[in-house]
Amino acid sequence: MKLFFSPASPYVRKCMVVAHEAGLADRIEQLPSAANPVNRDQTVVAANPLGKVPTLVNDAGEAMYDSRVICEYLDAQGAGKLFPAGAARWQALTLQALADGLLDAALLIRYEGNARPEALRWTDWTRGQMEKISSALARFEETAPALGDRLDIGAISVGCALGYLDFRFPQLDWRAGHPATAAWFARFNERPSMQATLPK
């Protein structure tokens, strides 16, 4: 399998954490790409019309995207334990959606501050995205005690989202107001799969 990736992408990291947990990491060739919202990497576009990472090309040559699809595919190729059944499935998928929503907001802030020309930046836009991050963190704080030692796609998604905040938004100091989340993350982040995929 081949994975178009960026070493800083939290969505790529989520896929690679799943790959490690599923015992598939050594079967994935990582293809560096220059995914960009303005100057699109045509090598990625050839596989994924959206030109986004992660994009996975499986052993049959079929391209898959986005991270939600890739994670479920990788889990199905491995032990199949990260997407539970019944009510637990919907809880895990909803938590994944919340974590991905936090990441969407964080990336929009990054694009606004680093990719958009300064004269065109919109502070209200950035504030609105930051409010989404704050709301998601507040919900994580409510959810953290129930996560315990759970290992599923919801927990992995939250772990990768919090790791991205550490990587790109250290000034946010999200731990200060979210002690239960911080305690959970301290444990979860020690997993070998998380340590092997730390952003660079």
Side-chain angles (χ1 to χ4, degrees), residues 95-162:
L95 194 55
Q96 176 183 215
L98 180 60
D100 284 359
L102 181 152
L103 288 175
D104 289 345
L107 286 168
L108 288 172
I109 292 170
R110 286 277 304 166
Y111 291 151
E112 188 73 14
N114 296 322
R116 189 182 299 276
E118 187 172 0
L120 300 178
R121 293 175 192 165
W122 186 12
T123 55
D124 284 346
W125 171 268
T126 300
R127 177 186 50 76
Q129 302 309 314
M130 191 57 74
E131 287 178 359
K132 293 178 186 178
I133 293 174
S134 297
S135 296
L137 286 169
R139 183 57 56 88
F140 290 164
E141 186 68 6
E142 296 172 6
T143 308
L147 281 174
D149 294 325
R150 206 172 92 191
L151 178 64
D152 60 25
I153 192 59
I156 289 170
S157 300
V158 172
C160 291
L162 295 173

Side-chain angles (χ1 to χ4, degrees), residues 157-186:
S157 300
V158 172
C160 291
L162 295 173
Y164 187 74
L165 292 182
D166 281 350
F167 180 58
R168 290 298 196 195
F169 295 83
Q171 74 284 1
L172 184 60
D173 190 21
W174 62 265
R175 289 172 178 79
H178 308 90
T181 306
W184 173 82
F185 182 65

Side-chain angles (χ1 to χ4, degrees), residues 173-198:
D173 190 21
W174 62 265
R175 289 172 178 79
H178 308 90
T181 306
W184 173 82
F185 182 65
R187 296 190 306 272
F188 190 82
N189 200 41
E190 289 303 312
R191 295 189 68 82
S193 62
M194 293 290 286
Q195 290 297 304
T197 57
L198 288 169

